[in-house]
């Protein structure tokens, strides 16, 4: 005989990160319903068994309904679950990390209602409801770790960027200073970016502008970057 | 008003890997209930909201009830969910990768009923039920990727091992040949293993036996191993 069990609640939460004014920022949403009505949360929502065919669908729906901001890169980080993290009962949330490029960030037209970017350093853990401060820590750890051996920080850059900007973004995400020559050699050796032939309009010296090669996904560097 | 949704089913599946006779093996269990009664599956089970405080608890319970084999290393790989992967309805499974050391493998006394080790290469994807062949591919990918930049293959070794054995195990998990001198230097530089002072009893030349230093967890190598 197969016993029937109380089923847990399953949700998806999406931690959006971007870099703005050389600082990491996180997208929060002000909760419109109880519990924690009026407080800040990561955008998220329930799995809808009748609508979603899989978790990607749920994430897509949450993104469309809550933020209207399609990220430039998304990956599943971890599933966090317990009987105490949500007053509504036993819940599991599948946590996603979403990276938003500076170009998209600068051209935000219709960010979802109640959505707001915050400096990651200035947000206090008690401002976030549920265990979202813990989720955010997990996402930060993943970003730092993965920025050391993959090319994912490229997805945070503007569409066209100088090698100095690329280095600056990797320094922000890896939390470490990088040696200029070695960083450039490794990025160019990876053959994942290409010179656009254009020059930057700012700065004392005009720098060549690069872009991610069309169709290139995440690259794994043979040696740690930072 | 908060709508009430049909809740998905939440399960945990544990993919146990070990190395036996220089080959990767996977632990399967023969299903005792429908659906797919009598077929092979990864050991797994439902989250029990009334018993489990979190997913680690669920994994612990599944391990105790189904396999009775405590792994030497366990990590969450990914949550896979859809409305088609299980005939019982919308299900999400949190997939764990579990590594079993050769010493523990060789001393198996009471493996759970219906559990059996299979060579990873010889198991056909249609022998596994549900989408467990897909889950297994994800675990293999994780093992290969993570063996290239972390010390996790050490958890597959016998408790005491020669540096040649360590190299052989890393070669199996990274699917690549490794250069002897460089491998040894990197392993020793990491300061995660220590010479036991004992010598191996087999082989033409007696080799020094090493062990993982007490209390040492997963080490991230500064440079890819394979």
């Amino acid at each position: 005989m197969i016993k029937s069990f109380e089923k847990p609640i399953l949700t998806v939460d999406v931690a959006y990160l971007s870099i703005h004014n050389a600082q990491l920022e996180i997208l929060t949403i002000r909760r419109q319903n109880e519990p924690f009505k009026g407080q800040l949360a990561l955008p998220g929502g329930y799995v809808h068994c009748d609508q979603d065919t899989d978790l990607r669908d749920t994430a897509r729906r949450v993104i469309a309904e809550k933020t209207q901001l399609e990220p430039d890169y998304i990956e599943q980080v971890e599933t966090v679950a317990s009987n105490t993290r949500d007053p509504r009962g036993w819940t599991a949330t599948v946590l996603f990390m979403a990276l938003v490029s500076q170009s998209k960030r600068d051209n935000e037209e219709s960010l979802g209602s109640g959505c707001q970017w915050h400096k990651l350093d200035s947000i206090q853990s008690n401002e976030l409801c549920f265990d979202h401060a813990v989720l955010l820590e997990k996402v930060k750890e993943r970003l730092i770790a993965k920025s050391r051996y993959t090319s994912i920080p490229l997805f945070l850059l503007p569409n066209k960027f100088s090698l100095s900007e690329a280095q600056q973004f990797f320094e922000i995400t890896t939390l470490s200073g990088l040696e200029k020559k070695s960083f450039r050699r490794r990025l160019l050796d990876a053959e994942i970016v290409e010179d656009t032939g254009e020059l930057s309009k700012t700065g004392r010296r005009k720098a060549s502008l690069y872009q991610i090669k069309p169709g290139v996904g995440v690259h794994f560097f043979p040696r740690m970057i930072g």
Side-chain angles (χ1 to χ4, degrees), chain A residues 79-92:
Chain A
T79 297
V80 177
S82 83
N83 60 352
T84 53
R85 56 180 299 276
D86 188 317
R88 288 167 293 188
W90 215 107
T91 61

Side-chain angles (χ1 to χ4, degrees), chain A residues 62-220:
Chain A
V62 165
I63 283 169
E65 290 174 5
K66 298 278 177 84
T67 72
Q68 293 166 37
L69 179 60
E70 188 63 42
D72 294 274
Y73 174 77
I74 189 162
E75 76 170 50
Q76 201 190 104
V77 175
E78 191 178 328
T79 297
V80 177
S82 83
N83 60 352
T84 53
R85 56 180 299 276
D86 188 317
R88 288 167 293 188
W90 215 107
T91 61
T93 192
V94 186
L95 174 63
F96 286 85
M97 170 174 77
L99 305 183
V100 178
S101 69
Q102 197 173 72
S103 301
K104 193 171 276 174
R105 173 68 199 281
D106 290 344
N107 292 312
E108 268 160 23
E109 288 179 1
S110 58
L111 201 54
S113 155
C115 287
Q116 198 181 5
W117 288 98
H118 288 266
K119 285 190 185 65
L120 205 53
D121 282 345
S122 72
I123 201 160
Q124 302 294 316
S125 60
N126 61 10
E127 291 182 86
L128 289 165
C129 53
F130 302 110
D131 58 353
H132 287 194
V134 175
L135 301 186
L136 192 51
E137 279 306 310
K138 288 180 186 291
V139 167
K140 278 161 71 177
E141 271 174 36
R142 173 68 65 92
L143 177 69
I144 295 166
K146 213 143 176 190
S147 296
R148 295 186 64 215
Y149 63 93
T150 80
S151 63
I152 65 167
L154 294 180
F155 297 108
L156 291 164
L157 281 159
N159 294 343
K160 294 175 186 175
F161 50 84
S162 67
L163 294 180
S164 301
E165 276 181 294
Q167 181 177 340
Q168 184 198 24
F169 275 57
F170 273 84
E171 287 178 339
I172 291 168
T173 56
T174 59
L175 301 181
S176 61
L178 300 174
E179 203 277 310
K180 181 173 165 179
K181 250 185 155 169
S182 133
F183 173 78
R184 290 183 177 209
R185 193 183 58 240
R186 286 203 252 163
L187 186 60
L188 296 177
D189 283 355
E191 300 185 344
I192 51 180
V193 299
E194 62 187 11
D195 194 331
T196 62
E198 298 173 45
L199 294 174
S200 66
K201 295 192 182 66
T202 56
R204 275 181 306 167
R205 294 199 218 169
K206 302 282 174 244
S208 296
L209 289 176
Y210 287 76
Q211 62 188 11
I212 302 176
K213 280 189 188 173
V216 162
V218 177
H219 175 78
F220 287 71

Side-chain angles (χ1 to χ4, degrees), chain A residues 27-32 39-41 66 111-118:
Chain A
L27 188 70
T28 63
I29 188 163
R30 207 164 281 280
R31 282 186 61 78
Q32 299 181 333
Q39 289 190 36
L40 298 182
K66 298 278 177 84
L111 201 54
S113 155
C115 287
Q116 198 181 5
W117 288 98
H118 288 266

